[in-house]
Structures are given as C-alpha cells and as structure tokens.
Amino acid sequence: MIRFEHVGKRYDGGYEALQDLSFQLVQGELAFLTGPSGAGKSTLLRLIALLERPSRGHIRVADIDLSRLRRRHIPYLRRRVGMIFQDHRLLHDRTVFDNVALPLIINGIADHREISRRVRAALDKVGLLGREKYYPVTLSGGEQQRVGIARAVVTRPPILLADEPTGNLDPALSGEIMQLFIEFNRVGVTTLIASHDMELVGRLGFRRIGLLDGRLASDLAAGEAA
Amino acid sequence: MKRPTARPSRGAARRGHGGLARLRAGLSAWAIAHGRALVSSLGRLVSMPLSALMTVGVLAISLALPALFLLLLQNVERLSADWDRGASLSVFLDLSVEESRVQSLADELAQSPPVQAATIISPDQALADFRRMAGMDEALDLLDDNPLPAVIVLIPDPGLGAEGLQALGAEVQAADGVDSVRLDLAWVERLQSISDLLRRAVWLIAALLGLTVVLVVGNTIRLAIQNRREEIVIAKLIGATDGFIRRPFLYEGLWYGALGGLTSAVLVGGVRLALDGPASELARLYQTGPILVGPGLGGFGLLCLVGIGLGLTGSWLAVGRHLAAIEPK
C-alpha cells in the first residue's frame, strides 16, 4: 500500500532529512514510525501526502507512482490519505460538526442527510457523539485530537497517517487514542503513526520502523523485542 | 407524519441507470457546490457588515460617478443633436441674378439630396426686414437702389453633421450666380468638439473608476484570503482542489460587485430624481422636450452587470495572485 524505494529528501541548504530509505507497508498493516526528534518522521509522512516531493527515489501509494502524479491530481491522492496532526489543525471558528463535515463537502457530497449521518457515525466512533455543536476551544486536548481523528476517517480513506497524535497528551489519554487507531486498523485501514513515545509503542506490540538521522535504523516486526 | 420520499437514493440511481444518472448526479453535486459557495460567501459578507458596507459604498460611488457622467454626456449629445437641426446655410446670390433665375436655383438646390427645404428671401423682403431693425430706417433712405442681394436659405437634413454641411456649402458655392455662402457652423462645430472632449473625458474617468473597482475588490479579496489562510491550508491538506478553494473568494468578489452595482443604481436613481424637478422647470421655460432622459431599466441593469463583471475581475486577479502561494507546510 505504501512503498518507499531509495527515497532521499534534501532541503535547500544541503540538509539531508531522509537518505536512501526503503520500506513497504502492505494493505491493512499498522506500523509505528519511531525515532528521536529530527530523525525524519514528519518528513516521511509529508512525502506520502505529497506535501513535499522527494529529491531522490520513488514512492508508491495505493498503486500510484507519486513522482508521476501531476499537481492537479494531488488533491485526489490526499482524499485517500487521512492525516492527523499533533496540533489537531482544526478550524476554531467552526463547530465540531462543521470541522468533521469539511472532508465530505470537499469530496462533493451534497446530500445534507448523508453528511449528517456520516459525521455522526465518525463522531460516535471517537466517542464524541453529542458534541457536534461545540467549538473546538471548549474541548480538552484529547477531545480535540479525537475531532481531528473523526475528520480524518469520515471519508473512510484506505490510509491513515498520524504525526505524533499523542504528543501533548498524558499517558492514559495517549493509550485511548492509540486504541482508536488500532480499531480503525482492524477494519482494514493501513495505518502509519509517527511517535517518539517508545514505551507506549513498545507496549502495543505492532511493527516499529525506527529512523535515525534520516536513515532506516531498525524495522521490528510485530511482537519482536527491541 | 412524514411520508417516505419517492426519490431513489443516489446509490440506487447509480446502480440503475449508469452513465446518464451519474452525469446528472455529478451535475447536481456541481450545482450544489456552487450554490453552497454562493450562499456561504454572502454569509461571510453579512457576518462583517460594517467593513462590507464600507467596501460596497466605495464600489457604489466608483460606479455611480461614471454612470452619472455618461448619463450627462448622453443627454448633452441628445440635446445637441436637436440643436444641429437648427443649422442653416445662407446662400447670397450675385446682384445681377434675375428673379426667375433665383426661383429656379432655389428649386434646383431643394432637389439636391442633403437639403430639406430652400426658402427665398427676395431683396425687397430683405430690405423690409432690415428696415424693421432700429436705426436703420433713415440710413436706408439715403440709398437710391436696394443694395441687398437675393438670399436662399437652405435647411439641411437633420442628420447632416458639421462636415456634411461644409461639403454642401462648397458645392453650392460653385453654382452659377452664387456670390457667397454663409454657414452658421461655428457654434455647431464648437458644440460638437465640446461634446467630443466631454465624451473622451467621461470615458477616461469611467475607465479609471472601473479600475478603482477592480483594485478595491482585489484588495478586499486579498485580505479575505490572508484572514482565512489557516482554513485554506487545512482544506488543501484534506484534499480540496484549487477550484474548491478558489470558488468562495470568486463569489465574494461577485457579491461585492453585484451589491456595489445595485447600490450605485440606487444612487444614480436618487440623483436623477433630485434633478427631475429643476430639469422639467428648465424644459418648460425653454419650451423644449424633456431635458434629462434615461438611464432607464436597461441602464440600471447594465450598471449591475458592469459591477458584477468588475468585481469578478478583481477577485479573479487576487485569487490567481495570492492563492497559489498558500501551500500546506
């Protein structure tokens, strides 16, 4: 589902964020992307959603060769990739409902009842049903992150990417958020989660792709000890 | 009680009819997306009424001024066309020309195409007219003979411009027995050049104020884009196309243009109404037809359309310039 072949990313000024990186995620797999800050985790996720293009190598996402994808087709790729951010990236002047409905509207779904039904279903999955009319600022950090997750899954994308989704949360809340991802993965969503919380990630027992200074440092299969 | 609707769901339609149904569903989704952008952009204007009103006010004045100037120009041209009709040619004949020849020449001239009528003023009649003028009576008594020539006054076709009059004058001048031709042209020419000058000035001002509208809308939309930068970034992150992001801003420009055009139409209508009384009083004194005419329903409609066009142009420029620069980081 996601395949990196000798991918390198070099920024202007010569900084090598990623070097000769190759790995593969099969459909329905859940993997954690680990490593210290600056190891290149965010850059890797950004390359998958084509927020940036690699300097070298090839990336295939859902059988699409990203290096051949034209600019005007990028939005359609991003619709198949649900993204979750550490800082939630919610619209603070819109209600929870409107935030979660935005991807549906962008997807051109016009039927009001269908939008309402799917938004409520997504909010139900993350345990926020009944908060539709709230504004994000009135919610706690963990709840805001759940709204972000609901927004990412409301269009039922085949791929979920999460960049430090528990970065600002306490251990109990972090565990709950990770459980949500595991549930989505259970219904077949290919999931890649960047996290520096080695303790939490190790406890969950999924595949861990370790990055260090932009290179692949380790690739531990599910259940394998570090 | 709510009855079940007879309309099949979108999914059923797609399964049932294939291509045509999909096209129809796509079209209706497109129309709904546009309708949504149209309404939401109006909603944004309503949500900040003061700044929206100020912008609309600037646009309305920028549109109303050239519209009023054009209205003025139109009326000046209409009135001067009326006055052109008063222009005439005085053909002074040689003293030696006999009375019968005067008559035949007048008939001949009356036949030529640009001439509507030819009137003869005989030397006797001219002298009688002359006598009536104060102080001339005694002076004329000193003369043995009538020194005045016969005159033929030509009334040209109303459509004939200054140049046509001049050509006619030259033609008549060449005729046998004609001493001189006097064209009462100077004031017609002056009026025409004044209205030429006025026309050019009015269009220049209209162009400048139209540019003002484009720039004001462009700047307003630029600010709107800056204010909603975060929203644009997020929409791009979750797969919004450029068209989706562009649309509400274009419609915002359209609304500004439409509201500006509508308000300017109200302004022009108000000014028209305020001038109506004095204008008809003037018309009564001069015993002419109406002095101020227009702009009529079509003119008001055109004003709104021009507003919409300029508003769209302004927002299009701003969107093209500033939206591409915003990319998710």
Side-chain angles (χ1 to χ4, degrees):
Chain A
M1 200 62 167
I2 299 173
R3 185 193 187 97
F4 274 57
E5 289 168 7
H6 307 291
V7 172
K9 175 66 187 176
R10 184 194 181 99
Y11 286 106
D12 293 342
Y15 173 63
E16 300 267 2
L18 292 175
Q19 293 180 59
D20 195 30
L21 187 66
S22 298
F23 72 93
Q24 184 174 203
L25 237 70
V26 298
Q27 187 170 354
E29 196 174 3
L30 188 157
F32 287 100
L33 201 56
T34 62
S37 310
K41 304 190 296 288
S42 295
T43 304
L44 191 154
L45 294 181
R46 295 163 58 76
L47 291 179
I48 296 173
L50 267 185
L51 298 177
E52 287 177 88
R53 292 201 180 256
S55 321
R56 276 184 303 279
H58 286 280
I59 304 172
R60 293 183 73 85
V61 175
D63 282 329
I64 301 163
D65 183 353
L66 297 195
S67 55
R68 290 175 180 216
L69 197 68
R70 285 162 190 257
R71 201 188 104 79
R72 64 193 174 91
H73 289 133
I74 292 176
Y76 304 98
L77 170 82
R78 290 189 187 150
R79 291 179 193 183
R80 306 182 67 179
V81 179
M83 290 197 78
I84 292 135
F85 308 90
Q86 182 175 358
D87 56 356
H88 327 310
R89 296 257 179 139
L90 300 177
L91 293 171
H92 290 281
D93 59 342
R94 310 275 181 97
T95 61
V96 167
F97 183 96
D98 288 343
N99 267 286
V100 178
L102 188 59
L104 297 172
I105 291 168
I106 285 173
N107 269 269
I109 294 169
D111 185 0
H112 243 306
R113 279 166 305 176
E114 191 181 352
I115 288 175
S116 175
R117 187 178 59 72
R118 289 174 71 167
V119 168
R120 290 166 62 86
L123 285 173
D124 190 22
K125 269 186 227 159
V126 299
L128 283 179
L129 198 57
R131 304 283 175 92
E132 292 99 315
K133 293 208 172 87
Y134 286 51
Y135 283 86
V137 281
T138 64
L139 301 177
S140 70
E143 287 170 325
Q144 288 190 31
Q145 190 55 283
R146 286 161 186 267
V147 175
I149 294 170
R151 186 183 65 190
V153 301
V154 72
T155 53
R156 299 191 208 109
I159 297 171
L160 266 185
L161 304 178
D163 191 1
E164 299 284 358
T166 63
N168 295 328
L169 304 178
D170 63 45
L173 279 174
S174 301
E176 286 175 27
I177 296 285
M178 289 304 187
Q179 278 306 318
L180 273 176
F181 286 118
I182 293 168
E183 279 170 39
F184 288 122
N185 174 245
R186 214 169 277 155
V187 295
V189 181
T190 308
T191 310
L192 185 59
I193 304 167
S195 175
H196 65 265
D197 190 346
M198 297 297 284
E199 199 264 322
L200 173 67
V201 167
R203 194 151 30 96
L204 292 168
F206 286 90
R207 179 181 171 192
R208 283 145 290 162
I209 300 168
L211 292 184
L212 192 64
D213 293 333
R215 291 172 188 276
L216 192 66
S218 62
D219 192 345
L220 302 171
E224 198 175 332
Chain B
M1 201 180 80
K2 204 176 168 188
R3 273 184 297 170
T5 48
R7 203 155 49 98
S9 75
R10 274 160 51 92
R14 209 171 303 157
R15 275 192 302 276
H17 306 293
L20 195 65
R22 208 171 312 152
L23 182 70
R24 196 174 302 156
L27 271 179
S28 87
W30 179 86
I32 285 172
H34 275 264
R36 204 193 293 269
L38 190 68
V39 172
S40 73
S41 54
L42 181 63
R44 235 183 347 270
L45 254 63
V46 172
S47 73
M48 35 170 204
L50 198 68
S51 70
L53 269 180
M54 274 170 25
T55 306
V56 166
V58 170
L59 299 180
I61 292 170
S62 306
L63 285 168
L65 279 177
L68 285 170
F69 285 144
L70 282 170
L71 186 66
L72 179 76
L73 177 71
Q74 204 180 31
N75 277 290
V76 165
E77 283 182 342
R78 189 178 52 81
L79 290 175
S80 72
D82 274 356
W83 291 333
D84 271 358
R85 234 163 272 161
S88 60
L89 274 80
S90 304
V91 182
F92 296 87
L93 303 180
D94 289 334
L95 279 171
S96 58
V97 175
E98 286 167 25
E99 217 166 307
S100 60
R101 169 70 187 136
V102 172
Q103 186 62 50
S104 69
L105 194 62
D107 289 345
E108 212 173 284
L109 286 174
Q111 295 301 313
S112 72
V115 177
Q116 204 172 46
T119 320
I120 299 167
I121 301 173
S122 66
D124 294 342
Q125 195 188 336
L127 194 66
D129 285 348
F130 216 21
R131 270 188 198 284
R132 274 208 301 276
M133 295 168 83
M136 284 299 185
D137 210 356
E138 286 173 22
L140 289 172
D141 279 341
L142 295 173
L143 298 172
D144 296 333
D145 299 321
N146 181 357
L148 298 176
V151 177
I152 303 173
V153 178
L154 299 180
I155 308 292
D157 273 336
L160 204 63
E163 275 173 40
L165 278 174
Q166 214 128 36
L168 179 64
E171 195 185 315
V172 172
Q173 178 78 68
D176 198 25
V178 172
D179 177 56
S180 68
V181 175
R182 235 189 57 214
L183 283 164
D184 239 357
L185 257 187
W187 68 273
V188 174
E189 275 177 334
R190 263 177 227 148
L191 191 68
Q192 214 157 46
S193 66
I194 285 173
S195 86
D196 281 348
L197 179 71
L198 207 60
R199 184 184 305 121
R200 181 163 297 189
V202 163
W203 280 112
L204 275 175
I205 290 169
L208 282 176
L209 287 169
L211 190 65
T212 306
V213 171
V214 170
L215 292 178
V216 166
V217 172
N219 197 45
T220 306
I221 300 300
R222 183 182 64 85
L223 286 175
I225 290 172
Q226 266 172 9
N227 284 336
R228 297 173 64 207
R229 196 188 170 86
E230 185 62 18
E231 190 180 338
I232 293 167
V233 167
I234 289 171
K236 282 195 175 181
L237 276 177
I238 52 185
T241 57
D242 287 348
F244 180 90
I245 290 167
R246 203 186 296 134
R247 213 173 288 144
F249 294 108
L250 290 181
Y251 277 122
E252 198 169 326
L254 182 143
W255 279 118
Y256 273 122
L259 291 174
L262 213 62
T263 314
S264 75
V266 171
L267 281 179
V268 171
V271 169
R272 240 328 243 105
L273 215 62
L275 294 181
D276 227 12
S280 40
E281 179 63 15
L282 195 64
R284 194 184 60 77
L285 289 174
Y286 275 87
Q287 298 190 326
T288 65
I291 286 189
L292 204 54
V293 167
L297 219 56
F300 285 124
L302 192 67
L303 200 52
C304 291
L305 280 182
V306 167
I308 289 173
L310 292 176
L312 263 182
T313 308
S315 56
W316 190 271
L317 288 176
V319 161
R321 177 97 176 64
H322 301 286
L323 222 45
I326 301 176
E327 278 296 332
K329 281 274 138 54

